[in-house]
Amino acid sequence: MNYETALQTAIDRLHDEGRYRTFIDIERIKGQFPNAVWNRPDGTRQDITVWCGNDYLGMGQHPAVLEAMHDALAATGAGSGGTRNISGTTVYHKRLEEELADLHDKEAALLFTSAYIANDATLSTLPKLFPGLIIYSDSLNHASMIEGIRRNGGSKRVFAHNDLDDLRAKLAADDPAAPKLIAFESIYSMDGDFGLIAEICDIADEFGALTYLDEVHAVGMYGPRGGGVAERDRLAHRIDIINGTLGKAFGVHGGYIAASGRMCDAVRSYAPGFIFTTSLPPVVAAGAAASVAHLKTDQARRDLHQERAKVLKLRLKGMGLPIIDHGSHIVPVIVGDPVHTKKISDMLLNDFGIYVQPINFPTVPRGTERLRFTPSPVHTPPMMDALVHAMDALWSHCALNRAELSA
């Protein structure tokens, strides 16, 4: 085989389908997010506004977070020096896990290097802890959950998205004595719709199943202390394992699970994705702990975040753009074609200094390609005006007319 030719063929296929991913080189500027600088391929630099970042609350720039990281760096240096088991557990890791357990009102929390790894490692380990485990997974679960479930060697059932009848039917068809776990999300990031937490917990009780909830796109932003949708709806006590991230609303890096002390201890002891990975740098753990602690009391930031998202959705709807609105902070504008989506993204960046990455298959189904805007409390009204005017100009007057784009 000519391996280079095979690689080029695979890459060319993505280009032909209009879904080849390009990364733009940006420089975040301390204290000025969501403003940034784009280092263009031609060597020039352009000021841009980031509208697709996951630093949902701007905490990556918050003084309390930066101060904690500076202090930890001065005190400990750069890296952790090892895995959690071999010299890589510090006071910063322990403090962060304590903050997270308190956030979710659980006995314990367990840190991972990312929420992806937390999902993958935990879900792939659970059948070792519960022989014969059957996992029931929502069809729109994140790739990290799908991968963890796929790799675990146990049984799985995929139920239609948010379809309680399908979930109940699949549970009823299996051995009542078999251990069971239902895995789902609180907010599904591509459409911004909510999982049916209370209803799924009721079904879990009915069939004696554990519950596993991914709150990645909700922690920090929902609930009176930022504990997520489960906290907002007073349902956290009904969830056995909560997965969250430190790289989105908390603005730093890493992932975790929060659960009973025995559950965290078992996962800690059996999950290769935890055991054999160098732990988070103490400086990162310190910044994340400061962010979690701060957001437990900063309701004003959460309120402003929701307000910004609501206003942007109202304005885009008023222009007749095909947006999906399930009431969350995520603002998807459906284009429906990968080539058109990329063209609009490129024109927003080049002509208006607005950065929003196109979302194409396989992240979303074919025919639902979109621009996914993530407004934050630090996106100012003038920034929103600029975005709305740019979208109106492109949707109405460029060569890709509105009717064509909506088709």
Side-chain angles (χ1 to χ4, degrees):
M1 169 179 273
N2 186 319
Y3 296 102
E4 289 298 317
T5 298
L7 293 173
Q8 190 60 53
T9 298
I11 293 170
D12 288 344
R13 184 163 60 248
L14 296 178
H15 280 289
D16 293 342
E17 294 176 4
R19 58 186 186 93
Y20 178 76
R21 298 170 188 255
T22 58
F23 303 155
I24 78 165
D25 178 4
I26 67 172
E27 293 181 30
R28 287 163 59 100
I29 306 167
K30 186 177 75 171
Q32 297 185 34
F33 181 78
N35 292 318
V37 175
W38 172 32
N39 294 311
R40 299 169 62 104
D42 63 5
T44 61
R45 292 161 60 86
Q46 179 178 338
D47 293 332
I48 62 171
T49 303
V50 178
W51 275 97
C52 58
N54 284 335
D55 188 355
Y56 287 131
L57 300 178
M59 290 301 293
Q61 306 286 311
H62 196 280
V65 174
L66 301 185
E67 180 181 1
M69 297 183 78
H70 279 297
D71 290 347
L73 181 63
T76 69
S80 69
T83 64
R84 287 292 297 274
N85 184 52
I86 305 175
S87 81
T89 295
T90 70
V91 294
Y92 301 99
H93 298 87
K94 297 302 292 181
R95 180 195 167 198
L96 177 52
E97 286 176 336
E98 290 167 0
E99 288 282 2
L100 292 167
D102 173 73
L103 175 68
H104 295 291
D105 197 23
K106 298 296 184 186
E107 292 178 347
L110 191 64
L111 282 174
F112 292 82
T113 50
S114 72
Y116 187 107
I117 298 299
N119 271 334
D120 186 4
T122 302
L123 289 167
S124 63
T125 297
L126 290 176
K128 301 175 187 176
L129 307 175
F130 307 108
L133 178 70
I134 304 171
I135 296 182
Y136 303 82
S137 176
D138 189 286
S139 62
L140 291 189
N141 277 343
H142 189 264
S144 58
M145 301 173 76
I146 294 170
E147 182 64 14
I149 295 167
R150 184 191 67 80
R151 292 197 309 106
N152 68 24
S155 299
K156 69 175 180 180
R157 312 283 186 261
V158 178
F159 62 94
H161 176 55
N162 272 348
D163 189 326
L164 301 175
D165 291 336
D166 190 35
L167 171 60
R168 179 177 280 106
K170 285 179 166 57
L171 282 157
D174 285 319
D175 181 358
K180 301 174 178 67
L181 178 141
I182 305 171
F184 62 112
E185 300 186 35
S186 63
I187 297 179
Y188 292 85
S189 63
M190 288 301 109
D191 285 352
D193 59 326
F194 290 87
L196 304 176
I197 301 176
E199 295 87 344
I200 289 176
C201 285
D202 288 343
I203 292 175
D205 290 345
E206 179 183 345
F207 289 92
L210 296 171
T211 48
Y212 186 106
L213 180 65
D214 182 307
E215 288 258 37
V216 161
H217 290 277
V219 290
M221 296 171 282
Y222 295 82
R225 300 195 308 154
V229 178
E231 185 200 29
R232 183 197 69 179
D233 296 346
R234 300 182 180 181
L235 295 168
H237 65 285
R238 303 187 67 187
I239 303 297
D240 294 293
I241 305 173
I242 293 174
N243 168 274
T245 184
L246 302 165
K248 291 183 170 62
F250 294 122
V252 191
H253 182 72
Y256 64 90
I257 61 168
S260 69
R262 190 171 286 114
M263 180 70 78
C264 288
D265 190 20
V267 173
R268 176 189 72 86
S269 301
Y270 280 88
F274 177 85
I275 296 169
F276 299 107
T277 300
T278 299
S279 65
L280 288 174
V283 63
V284 172
S291 184
V292 173
H294 176 87
L295 284 175
K296 287 177 181 178
T297 62
D298 194 349
Q299 186 60 39
R301 187 175 291 256
R302 278 188 283 278
D303 290 343
L304 185 56
H305 179 227
Q306 292 295 322
E307 177 191 313
R308 291 282 191 265
K310 181 178 180 180
V311 169
L312 179 59
K313 285 186 283 190
L314 285 172
R315 295 187 67 177
L316 294 179
K317 282 182 184 178
M319 293 160 50
L321 270 63
I323 80 163
I324 299 175
D325 183 7
H326 291 287
S328 74
H329 61 282
I330 294 169
V331 186
V333 176
I334 302 299
V335 179
D337 176 88
V339 174
H340 292 170
T341 308
K342 180 66 165 60
K343 282 184 178 180
I344 296 175
S345 173
D346 288 345
M347 294 168 75
L348 284 169
L349 183 64
N350 286 289
D351 300 342
F352 297 93
I354 291 171
Y355 173 41
V356 56
Q357 190 74 1
I359 307 293
N360 294 325
F361 178 83
T363 306
V364 295
R366 296 181 192 275
T368 69
E369 293 83 3
R370 66 198 63 187
L371 300 172
R372 177 179 172 273
F373 297 96
T374 54
S376 76
V378 292
H379 282 95
T380 64
M383 291 177 186
M384 193 175 297
D385 289 343
L387 171 61
V388 170
H389 294 153
M391 287 294 289
D392 188 40
L394 291 179
W395 214 269
S396 301
H397 303 298
C398 69
L400 305 173
N401 63 56
R402 180 175 296 168
E404 179 184 3
L405 289 171
S406 300

